[in-house]
Amino acid sequence: MPESLTTMREAAPSRVRRAVTTILMIALAVMIVRDIFVRRWGSAAPPSSDVTQRSP
């Protein structure tokens, strides 16, 4: 019985670590896909240039 308790204690942090890693990977994938959609369909006009134009 004591062996099974130590095994469960050792497995719990591994399970939590795996769940946190999975959640972070899913969040990263969602942010990347969202960024692609925003860049592609977010603005109808082309991005403005960083260079300012002087009036004559």
Side-chain angles (χ1 to χ4, degrees):
M1 185 78 169
E3 291 178 11
S4 65
L5 288 176
T6 56
T7 305
M8 289 177 65
R9 286 183 192 152
E10 291 173 0
S14 176
R15 186 175 298 157
V16 171
R17 195 176 310 127
R18 192 174 353 160
V20 169
T21 304
T22 303
I23 290 169
L24 288 175
M25 288 300 197
I26 291 171
L28 181 64
V30 167
M31 287 190 288
I32 290 171
V33 170
R34 180 185 158 271
D35 186 51
I36 290 170
F37 283 153
V38 166
R39 286 176 187 241
R40 181 162 299 198
W41 291 292
S43 62
S48 62
S49 175
D50 290 338
V51 179
T52 57
Q53 297 178 355
R54 292 186 190 177
S55 300

